[in-house]
Amino acid sequence: MTTSRSPKQRRTVSRDALLKSVATSTAVETGEASRGIEARLRAGKSRFKSLPLA
């Protein structure tokens, strides 16, 4: 069954939603509590500050 859709619209994702998503995903993979991971992400402290992202 095929449904017609309007052209894809870009949705903006809030920083809070992004952090929560990353934290819960990481928690599932590592077995850690998502609240702790989210707190670390919000703190903004990076272990590898000198490492540039591609």
Side-chain angles (χ1 to χ4, degrees), residues 5-18:
R5 293 184 182 178
S6 60
K8 286 191 174 185
Q9 295 178 356
R10 268 201 146 159
R11 285 192 268 176
T12 56
V13 179
S14 70
R15 179 168 164 59
D16 289 337
L18 183 63

Side-chain angles (χ1 to χ4, degrees), residues 9-35:
Q9 295 178 356
R10 268 201 146 159
R11 285 192 268 176
T12 56
V13 179
S14 70
R15 179 168 164 59
D16 289 337
L18 183 63
L19 288 175
K20 187 173 288 294
S21 176
V22 169
T24 54
S25 174
T26 304
V28 167
E29 292 179 12
T30 62
E32 255 184 276
S34 62
R35 287 184 182 183

Side-chain angles (χ1 to χ4, degrees), residues 21-53:
S21 176
V22 169
T24 54
S25 174
T26 304
V28 167
E29 292 179 12
T30 62
E32 255 184 276
S34 62
R35 287 184 182 183
I37 296 170
E38 191 173 347
R40 279 199 316 262
L41 290 172
R42 288 186 189 282
K45 294 181 182 177
S46 175
R47 289 174 38 191
F48 307 103
K49 288 187 179 188
S50 63
L51 183 66
L53 297 176

